[in-house]
Amino acid sequence: MLMKYPDVSQQTGTDAGLAAVLRMAVGRLARRLRAQRPDSSLSLGQGAVLFALARHGTMTPGALAEYEKVQPPSMTRIVSALEERGLVRRMKHPDDRRQQLVELTDEGALLVQSDQQRREAWLTQRLAELTREEKATLRTAAEILNRLSRS
Amino acid sequence: MLMKYPDVSQQTGTDAGLAAVLRMAVGRLARRLRAQRPDSSLSLGQGAVLFALARHGTMTPGALAEYEKVQPPSMTRIVSALEERGLVRRMKHPDDRRQQLVELTDEGALLVQSDQQRREAWLTQRLAELTREEKATLRTAAEILNRLSRS
DNA sequence: TATTGTTATACTCTATAACTATA
DNA sequence: TATAGTTATAGAGTATAACAATA
């Protein structure tokens, strides 16, 4: 193989090199996941919001936007799309009428539970081919990546 | 905290649960990285292509599309954008005139080298706050993620 | 006929700026 | 005045379908 430039694996010893490799890996997998997503299912952002609501209960649109690292208008669109599909419900905040509370409907909760396996089918299949150690690495890595995203 | 539904961390014991968590983590970090990218710099896809060319030398557009998991028309756009900026050069394939070979220009190679740290600055900063063990985990995880994307 | 790559077109997702309602 | 959320608009990135050139 022609190697005009130093092998990048040597660059992962530095934070900057690791950042480069990680950025590529994350970008490539995100594109791959998007391609695998069935038409009938949810977008990456919609799925993440349902997931967050399942974890945290009701949240305001603003809190969801901050949590998912998108701007408020983007969250408006995501929540509106979910509401049109009957998966979430917007309620008035009891104390502050500027705010809203977003909550899963029964249908939304069901989708989170029952659709999760189906939506992750491709990735689940790939994961099944990994060793226990590799899966443990990814489990730990996922937590670290979430921490990075939130900082 | 209101917990209407089981904590997802309990679900990571299964491949499907890990797939769900990993998909969220990757999607969120990809959005975050996109937001951090400076205007003057390259898109995620453009950067990945320059990176691949630096690693593998010349590649055909088709090979690049397959490697980066995008459709050929998308790769045409990416390569055209890079060529307009003088970062890559398209050459005729010596044996098959239907094909082309894409190669880094000197300017492109320089950008890969010198711009890498700058483009990953935000992520590098975040990585610096991690322990050695956590960084080692991410290094290993990046390799696994790349393998997943290619399978 | 099959393959490589491009052009044409449309869709999805996101952001910034301006606006409304409430505090 | 400041804050929460929405609407309007634009930009980036991707895909599918149709096409051109070559094998």
Side-chain angles (χ1 to χ4, degrees):
Chain A
M1 179 171 66
L2 179 63
M3 194 62 75
K4 286 181 69 176
Y5 308 96
D7 190 320
V8 287
S9 62
Q10 295 174 6
Q11 300 176 14
T12 59
T14 66
D15 287 354
L18 176 56
V21 171
L22 198 56
R23 196 180 81 108
M24 300 299 158
V26 166
R28 191 176 295 128
L29 186 55
R31 287 197 294 278
R32 186 67 193 260
L33 284 170
R34 178 187 334 224
Q36 284 297 333
R37 194 178 58 236
D39 287 349
S40 61
S41 192
L42 305 163
S43 76
L44 235 50
Q46 289 173 4
V49 165
L50 284 193
F51 198 72
L53 290 174
R55 283 174 80 174
H56 299 120
T58 59
M59 294 176 77
T60 66
L64 283 168
E66 188 183 0
Y67 184 75
E68 294 300 335
K69 299 301 174 192
V70 298
Q71 294 301 310
S74 301
M75 189 50 66
T76 293
R77 277 196 59 166
I78 292 173
V79 171
S80 297
L82 291 172
E83 193 176 39
E84 276 178 26
R85 291 183 56 167
L87 302 175
V88 305
R89 176 173 31 239
R90 282 191 243 225
M91 299 176 306
K92 287 168 184 163
H93 192 106
D95 303 333
D96 183 342
R97 283 192 300 170
R98 294 175 303 180
Q99 296 189 51
Q100 297 188 335
L101 288 175
V102 185
E103 184 184 53
L104 286 183
T105 61
D106 288 345
E107 193 183 345
L110 207 65
L111 191 67
V112 170
Q113 291 176 356
S114 70
D115 214 44
Q116 203 125 276
Q117 310 86 13
R118 187 160 57 79
R119 285 191 291 131
E120 263 77 37
W122 173 84
L123 187 53
T124 302
Q125 194 74 19
R126 298 286 82 70
L127 292 175
E129 298 161 3
L130 299 180
T131 67
R132 290 176 69 85
E133 285 78 17
E134 288 171 330
K135 284 189 275 195
T137 297
L138 290 183
R139 200 167 302 133
T140 308
E143 293 169 14
I144 300 172
L145 294 183
N146 277 329
R147 190 140 37 89
L148 289 179
S149 299
R150 274 160 208 161
S151 64
Chain B
M1 178 170 69
L2 179 62
M3 193 64 75
K4 284 181 71 174
Y5 308 98
D7 190 321
V8 287
S9 61
Q10 296 174 3
Q11 299 175 16
T12 60
T14 66
D15 288 352
L18 176 56
V21 171
L22 198 56
R23 194 181 82 110
M24 300 300 158
V26 165
R28 192 176 294 128
L29 186 56
R31 287 196 295 277
R32 186 68 192 258
L33 283 170
R34 181 186 332 223
Q36 283 298 330
R37 193 177 59 237
D39 286 350
S40 62
S41 193
L42 304 162
S43 77
L44 234 53
Q46 290 173 3
V49 165
L50 284 193
F51 199 72
L53 291 174
R55 282 174 80 175
H56 299 120
T58 59
M59 293 177 77
T60 67
L64 282 168
E66 188 183 2
Y67 184 75
E68 293 300 335
K69 300 301 174 193
V70 298
Q71 293 301 309
S74 302
M75 188 50 66
T76 293
R77 277 194 59 167
I78 292 173
V79 171
S80 297
L82 291 173
E83 192 176 39
E84 274 178 26
R85 291 184 55 167
L87 303 176
V88 305
R89 178 173 29 240
R90 281 192 244 227
M91 300 176 304
K92 285 167 183 163
H93 192 106
D95 303 334
D96 184 341
R97 285 192 300 172
R98 292 175 305 182
Q99 296 190 52
Q100 298 187 335
L101 288 176
V102 184
E103 185 185 52
L104 287 183
T105 61
D106 288 346
E107 193 183 346
L110 206 66
L111 190 69
V112 170
Q113 290 176 357
S114 70
D115 213 44
Q116 204 125 277
Q117 308 87 16
R118 186 159 56 79
R119 285 191 290 132
E120 264 78 37
W122 173 85
L123 186 52
T124 302
Q125 194 74 20
R126 298 285 82 70
L127 292 175
E129 298 160 5
L130 300 180
T131 67
R132 292 176 67 85
E133 285 75 19
E134 288 170 332
K135 285 189 275 195
T137 297
L138 290 184
R139 200 166 302 134
T140 307
E143 293 170 14
I144 300 171
L145 294 183
N146 276 329
R147 190 141 38 89
L148 290 178
S149 299
R150 275 161 208 160
S151 63

